Amino acid sequence: MSEVIAAPFLADVIDPKGFIEPGRFSEVLRVTKGELASASGLSREAVSKATRLAAPATQTRLREMAEIINRVLPWCGSVAQAFAWYRSQPIPAFGQQTAEQLVRQGRADHVLDYLGGIALGGYA
C-alpha cells in the first residue's frame, strides 16, 4: 500500500484482515453499495455477495479507489470533498477524464502516479 497520509480514513474502510469492507466504505462515503460499485467499476454483486468480496479483482479495485481518495483527502479537506473530486474533477493530463473514469478503465495506477507527481511538486 502507498504511504498512509490520512490513516483514520483507511482504518475506517479496511478490516483487521486487511480487506476493504464495502459496507463500511459505502457508509464512510455516504453512498449505497450500488453507487460504490459503480464508482469503482465493479458490479453490485461484487460488493454485496460474500463469495465475491474477497476476490482479488474486487479487493484490488476497491483498494485503488480508497488509495486515491486517501491521497487527495489532505488537499480536499474532507472525505465527502475527496470523493466529489474523485467523481467529478477532470484531470487535464488524461484528456479531462475523472479519476472515477480512469479507475473504471483499470488505470488507477496512472492516477496514483499522477497524484504522486503533484505531491512532489509537479504540475497538474
Side-chain angles (χ1 to χ4, degrees), residues 21-36:
E21 207 294 301
R24 280 295 301 139
F25 199 3
S26 63
E27 286 176 22
V28 169
L29 296 178
R30 296 183 179 170
V31 297
T32 66
K33 282 186 180 180
E35 291 169 316
L36 176 67

Side-chain angles (χ1 to χ4, degrees), residues 23-87:
R24 280 295 301 139
F25 199 3
S26 63
E27 286 176 22
V28 169
L29 296 178
R30 296 183 179 170
V31 297
T32 66
K33 282 186 180 180
E35 291 169 316
L36 176 67
S38 177
S40 61
L42 295 167
S43 69
R44 172 111 170 83
E45 292 78 25
V47 298
S48 53
K49 292 194 175 191
T51 56
R52 304 228 4 229
L53 290 176
T58 299
Q59 284 297 308
T60 296
R61 188 62 60 89
L62 291 173
R63 185 169 300 277
E64 291 167 343
M65 183 178 168
E67 287 179 2
I68 290 168
I69 292 170
N70 186 60
R71 182 78 57 94
V72 301
L73 184 54
W75 304 333
C76 292
S78 73
V79 172
Q81 290 174 326
F83 186 52
W85 178 91
Y86 172 87
R87 297 202 85 183

